[in-house]
Amino acid sequence: MRLRVFVRVASRVLPNWERGPTTIGNRRISEDVKLIALKLWDQGWEIEDICDILGVSRASLFRWHAIFEEHGTVICPPSPLKGQGLRVLTRTLIQACKDLFSQETDLFLDEVVAWLALTHDIAISTSTLSRNLAEAGLTRKILHKIAAERDEERRREFRELVHNNFQGDGSELIFIDETSKDERTWAHHYGRAMSGTQARFADVFVRGDRYSLVAAMAVDGYIAADVVEGSFDRDLFSQFVIEQVVCFVFFTWSFSHIPSQLPSMNPFPAEQSVIVLDNCRIHQNEDLEAALLQAGMFPGHHLV
């Protein structure tokens, strides 16, 4: 009896409605049909009966119910972002992403997706985000690592110090640094292969013997170098600087056999009178600093 009453009412409300189950497909469903479906559901009708009578799917019924609960209507209100306004917002979000990556370059895409959802209430997939970032010029790159210990204020002071106290041709400066080598350092870090396949390369995984090299370089080339097995420590580095950089020691085969010194560096402000080091821990040696000051090195030679 209840079904026949509903059919008569629906026939008057919806003139084009056909009795019996129908297949909706992609056809647009009117607001009246959606309201009747929710009304019947609210009155206790079975979901299967509603879907059979109106020819709608369960997913559509649940979707209309969620829209009605959120907006008070079965028609989802249109987004206020249209036309030029949407394009302006998109550019704003892209600029916000650029600012974000300028501060944190190692973010994963899912982290950016979460950030957009929390701070801008924007839901976007990682694939769409990747495409939009690429179109804006934010491409995926290998990270160029910078020492976290870098002190930008001291770097600025050093640049000002060089500008105010040196001739400008670099003749006063000697740079010293270390590097190391083992069996794993010969391999290339990049290769090529067909799309969808791995670029494989057979290489050793055992480190093998490790050697460390330290060298001092002036504008005209290297003035001293040394190699040790293993790694340089603070004492070995200081010994290299004092004995091979500040002065070369050799013996004159005279009757007295007195050691003589052939200077490799000079008191400031002559050429080769300033040693420049980075802030590696083995360079931070008070004894080395005192020895360089005693030799007349530039007092601003401290670590930068």
Side-chain angles (χ1 to χ4, degrees):
M1 179 64 180
R2 186 176 59 175
L3 179 61
R4 289 196 297 271
V5 171
F6 166 73
V7 170
R8 289 198 298 271
V9 173
S11 299
R12 292 193 296 268
V13 175
L14 306 174
N16 297 327
W17 181 75
E18 297 180 358
R19 299 180 184 182
T22 59
T23 301
I24 298 298
N26 292 326
R27 181 168 59 86
R28 182 178 180 181
I29 303 175
S30 68
E31 183 179 357
D32 293 332
V33 172
K34 297 177 181 179
L35 288 172
I36 289 176
L38 294 182
K39 182 73 172 179
L40 294 176
W41 193 6
D42 185 60
Q43 291 178 355
W45 282 55
E46 296 293 335
I47 294 179
E48 289 74 11
D49 293 340
I50 299 173
C51 293
D52 288 341
I53 294 173
L54 298 179
V56 299
S57 65
R58 292 173 56 92
S60 298
L61 188 60
F62 281 100
R63 184 172 66 253
W64 300 336
H65 182 268
I67 294 174
F68 187 84
E69 289 291 326
E70 181 177 358
H71 301 286
T73 175
V74 292
I75 304 299
C76 186
S79 173
L81 304 175
K82 293 183 178 180
Q84 185 65 24
L86 181 59
R87 289 194 292 272
V88 171
L89 178 61
T90 301
R91 289 196 296 269
T92 303
L93 286 176
I94 290 297
Q95 184 59 47
C97 290
K98 289 181 178 180
D99 295 339
L100 178 65
F101 277 105
S102 66
Q103 301 174 8
E104 301 182 60
T105 57
D106 61 339
L107 290 174
F108 291 106
L109 288 181
D110 56 351
E111 294 176 320
V112 182
V113 168
W115 174 77
L116 289 172
L118 292 174
T119 60
H120 296 279
D121 196 24
I122 297 295
I124 188 173
S125 65
T126 55
S127 58
T128 303
L129 176 62
S130 176
R131 184 172 60 253
N132 290 342
L133 294 179
E135 292 173 353
L138 288 167
T139 57
R140 185 172 179 265
K141 296 180 174 66
I142 293 180
L143 288 173
H144 175 66
K145 294 185 179 180
I146 300 175
E149 298 83 2
R150 173 181 288 184
D151 190 330
E152 293 298 332
E153 180 62 24
R154 298 190 68 181
R155 285 165 58 86
R156 183 189 62 79
E157 293 177 356
F158 173 73
R159 288 192 292 267
E160 293 181 355
L161 181 118
V162 172
H163 181 269
N164 297 331
N165 294 276
F166 301 111
Q167 300 177 10
D169 57 0
S171 60
E172 303 97 337
L173 305 179
I174 290 182
F175 297 86
I176 304 178
D177 205 357
E178 313 87 22
T179 187
S180 62
K181 173 266 172 195
D182 57 38
E183 296 298 331
R184 300 173 301 179
T185 57
W186 292 103
H188 293 177
H189 294 286
Y190 298 91
R192 298 185 184 276
M194 293 299 296
S195 178
T197 62
Q198 293 181 336
R200 296 185 175 183
F201 173 73
D203 192 23
V204 295
F205 278 68
V206 180
R207 186 178 72 175
D209 296 331
R210 178 185 177 89
Y211 295 91
S212 296
L213 167 70
V214 62
M217 185 175 66
V219 292
D220 296 328
Y222 293 100
I223 64 172
D226 194 13
V227 177
V228 299
E229 185 173 357
S231 302
F232 276 94
D233 57 20
R234 186 172 302 177
D235 293 336
L236 286 175
F237 178 78
S238 298
Q239 181 181 352
F240 166 76
V241 174
I242 294 174
E243 294 183 0
Q244 299 191 48
V245 179
V246 176
C247 63
F248 290 122
V249 179
F250 70 97
F251 290 87
T252 59
W253 292 102
S254 62
F255 293 98
S256 60
H257 298 286
I258 299 175
S260 301
Q261 294 183 344
L262 181 66
S264 179
M265 296 193 65
N266 306 291
F268 184 79
E271 293 183 356
Q272 299 183 9
S273 59
V274 179
I275 292 180
V276 181
L277 307 173
D278 60 24
N279 57 358
C280 180
R281 290 186 179 274
I282 66 172
H283 299 167
Q284 303 176 19
N285 190 330
E286 294 181 356
D287 295 336
L288 174 61
E289 184 173 350
L292 295 177
L293 287 173
Q294 185 177 2
M297 300 298 101
F298 181 66
H301 73 278
H302 53 270
L303 309 178
V304 294

